[in-house]
Amino acid sequence: QVELVESGGGSVQAGGSLKVTCAASLDTFSDKCMAWFRQSPGKAREPVARIYTKRGTTYYGDSVKDRFTISQEYDDMMVYLRMDYLKPEDTATYYCAAKHGACAVKAVEDFDFPYWGQGTQVSVSP
């Protein structure tokens, strides 16, 4: 049974940092694309970052590039999202997602990911 559990969200002032964690229970961590998406009220779900577990290759959305860092602890099936220089527009529910195989370089669609966590809230005040 696949399970993804996020933790580590919270509230921070603009310019601050947070780290969210995804604990994955998967048949195997190898050859998976692990991703973070976010969604705020009234907006579409947005891909934030993803990592291909087999090679550690990472990809970022334009709005978070150079501010957010995705990483993994392969043996523990953990994926992290370190968020620095946070802005109020980063406020959202952050979701961990997983799919089999490599990550798409472009055109990331949430419907490509069959496995989702319950989400963790990140709030950034001005």
Side-chain angles (χ1 to χ4, degrees):
Q1 184 175 344
V2 176
E3 187 176 26
L4 303 175
V5 179
E6 303 96 335
S7 61
S11 298
V12 67
Q13 286 191 317
S17 298
L18 278 175
K19 185 176 183 178
V20 290
T21 298
C22 174
S25 296
L26 298 164
D27 54 342
T28 173
F29 204 54
S30 175
D31 197 26
K32 295 287 192 295
C33 179
M34 301 296 298
W36 287 97
F37 287 78
R38 67 185 182 187
Q39 188 169 26
S40 51
K43 294 189 176 180
R45 194 150 48 183
E46 173 191 7
V48 174
R50 54 205 184 277
I51 184 167
Y52 180 39
T53 59
K54 191 172 184 178
R55 298 201 177 104
T57 315
T58 58
Y59 309 87
Y60 296 93
D62 289 340
S63 62
V64 305
K65 202 173 293 184
D66 299 325
R67 298 190 299 123
F68 289 12
T69 304
I70 189 170
S71 60
Q72 63 179 0
E73 277 203 34
Y74 188 94
D75 291 342
D76 293 333
M77 292 194 188
M78 302 284 280
V79 178
Y80 306 100
L81 184 69
R82 168 78 181 188
M83 301 177 287
D84 295 314
Y85 306 107
L86 281 159
K87 305 175 182 180
E89 50 263 45
D90 294 318
T91 295
T93 301
Y94 283 71
Y95 297 91
C96 179
K99 74 177 206 55
H100 303 287
C103 300
V105 176
K106 296 181 181 179
V108 180
E109 301 289 352
D110 55 2
F111 54 71
D112 288 331
F113 290 79
Y115 309 114
W116 291 83
Q118 81 289 349
T120 186
Q121 179 66 35
V122 171
S123 299
V124 185
S125 57

